[in-house]
Amino acid sequence: MGRNDRYFMSSVKIGPKGQIVIPKEARDMFGLEPGDTLVLMADKKKGLALQTVDKLNPLMKTVFNSLPSEDGEVDNE
């Protein structure tokens, strides 16, 4: 990595099968290994984002726990 280990930027090309290659530096930065699962999120105005499942799960639990259930109660787990 470079002078600042917090940031990395690179361009990638979309292959004929619609795939991209995540550069080695970025994979190393996040400890990504073959077979790991990433979540792709897309917003037409804001763009694309990739996130690891382990980082996203606590956020999703918070979101879903803050939503009222069918009986109107919020799960404060």
Side-chain angles (χ1 to χ4, degrees):
M1 293 210 227
R3 291 180 288 171
N4 189 333
D5 290 343
R6 181 176 172 186
Y7 301 102
F8 175 78
M9 186 173 120
S10 176
S11 63
V12 297
K13 289 186 179 182
I14 299 174
K17 294 182 179 181
Q19 298 169 322
I20 63 168
V21 174
I22 299 171
K24 182 179 183 331
E25 295 88 348
R27 294 192 317 266
D28 289 348
M29 179 185 278
F30 291 98
L32 300 175
E33 299 289 335
D36 286 353
T37 300
L38 299 177
V39 177
L40 182 133
M41 297 168 281
D43 181 300
K44 281 190 173 188
K45 292 183 180 179
K46 295 182 181 183
L48 298 171
L50 287 174
Q51 185 58 268
T52 58
V53 173
D54 64 322
K55 297 281 190 209
L56 196 60
N57 277 343
L59 173 65
M60 295 311 297
K61 285 179 185 175
T62 301
V63 168
F64 284 115
N65 286 341
S66 68
L67 295 174
S69 62
E70 289 180 9
D71 59 10
E73 291 188 24
V74 174
D75 185 6
N76 291 320
E77 212 176 279

